[in-house]
Amino acid sequence: MKPEIRLRRVYDPPEPGADGVRVLVDRLWPRGLAKEAAGVDEWPRAVTPSAELRKWFHAGGSAGEFRERYLAELAGPEAVAELARLRSLAEAGPLTLLTAVKDPASSHAAILAERLSP
């Protein structure tokens, strides 16, 4: 059975039963969102884009190069271990990757979801 990995905005209300384990994949906590309202189960910073990569991208970096740099970060030992753990969570039930970006399907969350899929 293929793992179910969902992408959602962290600002959207949790969907009990559908979301499964809710994982925040942003380096920084989302602005204006109370931790109780977010319904975040995990916040593994080892798989979030580094502060340096985020700053580079927001200063005008290209999406293609961002992808390459982010995949390189995900190849580090701490990230590889965390990816394996998240993959096992996804195999056990739904896994929802949460991000504050307006379009999760065009964000680092989508790249991460690809890396988690077999």
Side-chain angles (χ1 to χ4, degrees):
M1 183 169 90
K2 185 175 180 173
E4 180 183 351
I5 300 172
R6 302 177 67 192
L7 301 176
R8 297 193 64 214
R9 291 195 76 216
V10 70
Y11 297 107
D12 296 336
E15 293 181 0
D19 282 350
V21 178
R22 293 170 52 87
V23 180
L24 180 63
V25 296
D26 289 340
R27 179 68 55 157
L28 304 174
W29 187 262
R31 291 181 190 212
L33 184 63
K35 291 189 179 190
E36 303 79 38
V40 170
D41 298 311
E42 305 218 5
W43 189 12
R45 290 174 189 85
V47 296
T48 66
S50 67
E52 296 81 14
L53 181 56
R54 285 180 39 260
K55 288 176 187 175
W56 170 84
F57 183 69
H58 292 295
S62 72
E65 189 170 345
F66 173 87
R67 178 183 179 82
E68 289 177 29
R69 289 181 180 200
Y70 182 44
L71 288 172
E73 289 184 354
L74 291 176
E78 190 178 351
V80 167
E82 191 60 40
L83 286 169
R85 193 182 70 75
L86 290 173
R87 199 171 288 117
S88 69
L89 287 175
E91 290 169 355
L95 181 74
T96 300
L97 303 179
L98 302 168
T99 181
V101 301
K102 292 180 182 175
D103 182 11
S106 298
S107 73
H108 70 283
I111 298 168
L112 182 57
E114 288 174 21
R115 291 289 293 131
L116 291 170
S117 297

